Amino acid sequence: MRIYSRILGTGSYLPEKRLTNADLAAELAQQGVETSDDWIVERTGIRARHFAADTQGSSDLATEAARKALTAAGIAADELDLIIVATSTPDMVFPSVATMVQHKLGTAGCPAFDVQAVCSGFIYALTIADSMIQSGSAKRALVIGSEVFSRILDFKDRTTCVLFGDGAGAVILEASDQPGILATDLHADGKYKDILCVPGHVNKGGILGDPVLKMDGQAVFKLAVGVLEETARASLAKANLTDADIDWLIPHQANIRIMQSTAKKLKMTADKVVVTVDQHGNTSAASIPLALDTAVRDGRIQRGQTLMLEGVGGGFTWGSVLLRY
Ligand code: UT7
């Protein structure tokens, strides 16, 4: 009998500080950087984002989301036998955010590690957890996407600093004979590393290179639109399903225009796409689990429905997870 990974519960966390486009535009204007609510809404669909407090790291956001997911799942942290955190903005170079979350949740012993695939990170982490559950090496996994992208933004670069936000989302997966994750699909192509990257790194006690996010937005946009359709179709084919079987599309939340274009290619109407980019901005690896938790908690997503989760981001990386909720 096939072992499936089933979502037992979801949770998410957004830092208290919320900035509307107008708030951010006013802050940027003080530094001589010009932008507007109109431009941001028209080009991206973003209206607001949350920024973490100086005292909060990815592990703090992740732990808050994890606690909510554990409560929703009705299990205790010491019942977990796997913790994976997807992040590109860890608290430290090492140890991993996952080991910090494990300790903050008051548990120890189970494997805990981070996955770094930028905005596709949660899709990668979910796929790894699913593989470990299917192989029998884990029964209950905590999978988190957590980011503090506000730490790596260049607030003098209006082409990037208006796009991103901070947050965390989490799911608890459990081994089950009922579906479950139906299919997964992962890809990467390292030749595109320069179109979305943070080139700076720690070197001999200093920072070598520019430690802020650089993006060729148009190049990313073009690639994203193509690969998101391809990976969705690949997961559908693996599960012997078609576009028409998808109840909810939960794409990486980077730009409403990319999301609408993907939905159109999958012949889905806009009301079947979970959209949180307007309120969260692009939270990288956190964006998909944040959107998932939002739609679970507001009652849109119901048990038994078929969900298509898909992500794309730096690397270049992309992938999808098709699941029965
Ligand atoms: O999470 C990983 C995945 N990331 C993405 O999916 C991001 C993909 N890319 C995008 O979402 C879009 O390319 C952006 C939102 C980043 C940019 O939108 P665009 O429609 O491609 O705009 P653009 O780069 O062509 O810029 C158009 C104009 C430029 O002015 P000129 O040269 O036409 O005079 C920019 O300088 O808009 C200007 N501009 C701004 N104006 C006001 C760029 N940023 C801003 C801004 N406010 N914040």
Side-chain angles (χ1 to χ4, degrees), residues 34-35 39 43-44 119 158-159 162-163 196 215 217-218 220-221 252 254-255 257-258 282 312-313:
E34 200 186 316
T35 188
W39 189 93
R43 302 289 177 131
T44 71
C119 303
R158 68 177 183 173
T159 68
V162 301
L163 305 176
L196 180 49
M215 180 166 74
Q218 288 189 1
V220 172
F221 194 108
H252 170 48
N255 187 317
R257 293 186 288 144
I258 298 177
N282 180 347
V312 59

Side-chain angles (χ1 to χ4, degrees), residues 28-302:
L28 293 175
Q30 288 175 10
Q31 301 168 50
V33 177
E34 200 186 316
T35 188
S36 67
D37 177 53
D38 283 352
W39 189 93
I40 302 171
V41 172
E42 190 193 317
R43 302 289 177 131
T44 71
I46 297 167
R47 292 178 186 276
R49 76 284 295 138
H50 292 250
F51 284 160
D54 288 344
T55 51
Q56 289 180 307
S58 277
S59 70
D60 298 304
L61 276 52
T63 304
E64 294 291 337
R67 287 203 176 104
K68 289 181 188 159
L70 285 165
T71 303
I75 68 162
D78 58 13
E79 293 178 75
L80 296 169
D81 54 16
L82 174 65
I83 300 174
I84 309 180
V85 177
T87 188
S88 301
T89 47
D91 298 33
M92 299 182 188
V93 172
F94 68 79
S96 67
V97 172
T99 56
M100 295 179 194
V101 170
Q102 183 190 51
H103 184 63
K104 285 176 182 176
L105 290 175
T107 185
C110 75
F113 60 92
D114 288 359
V115 168
Q116 208 270 49
V118 202
C119 303
S120 313
F122 185 75
I123 297 294
Y124 269 67
L126 210 52
T127 301
I128 295 164
D130 177 48
S131 301
M132 290 178 73
I133 286 174
Q134 284 196 53
S135 73
S137 64
K139 283 198 162 49
R140 278 183 174 157
L142 167 61
V143 184
I144 308 172
S146 186
E147 303 280 15
V148 285
F149 258 53
S150 59
R151 304 276 157 78
I152 54 166
L153 295 178
D154 176 357
F155 285 96
K156 291 198 165 47
D157 176 7
R158 68 177 183 173
T159 68
T160 54
C161 72
V162 301
L163 305 176
F164 295 89
D166 302 339
V171 303
I172 308 290
L173 289 180
E174 186 179 54
S176 170
D177 55 8
Q178 302 298 314
I181 291 180
L182 304 171
T184 61
D185 183 61
L186 294 182
H187 299 276
D189 187 343
K191 78 168 168 282
Y192 295 111
K193 80 170 171 42
D194 294 330
I195 64 171
L196 180 49
C197 62
V198 178
H201 57 276
V202 175
N203 184 289
K204 297 177 182 163
I207 305 280
L208 196 64
D210 209 353
V212 288
L213 186 145
K214 313 277 180 194
M215 180 166 74
D216 177 344
Q218 288 189 1
V220 172
F221 194 108
K222 272 187 215 141
L223 275 168
V225 168
V227 298
L228 286 172
E229 184 193 5
E230 275 169 35
T231 187
R233 295 215 175 278
S235 280
L236 284 169
K238 287 178 194 176
N240 280 320
L241 296 178
T242 69
D243 311 2
D245 295 306
I246 306 171
D247 292 302
W248 292 103
L249 179 65
I250 308 170
H252 170 48
Q253 311 277 319
N255 187 317
I256 191 74
R257 293 186 288 144
I258 298 177
M259 293 158 67
Q260 285 166 346
S261 152
T262 309
K264 203 169 156 194
K265 288 181 172 180
L266 296 175
K267 299 185 199 74
M268 297 185 71
T269 51
D271 60 330
K272 291 295 178 194
V273 184
V274 178
V275 176
T276 50
V277 71
D278 56 333
Q279 296 303 318
H280 302 166
N282 180 347
T283 58
S284 190
S287 92
I288 296 169
L290 262 163
L292 173 66
D293 185 53
T294 302
V296 164
R297 282 176 194 264
D298 68 22
R300 272 178 289 172
I301 293 178
Q302 296 289 320

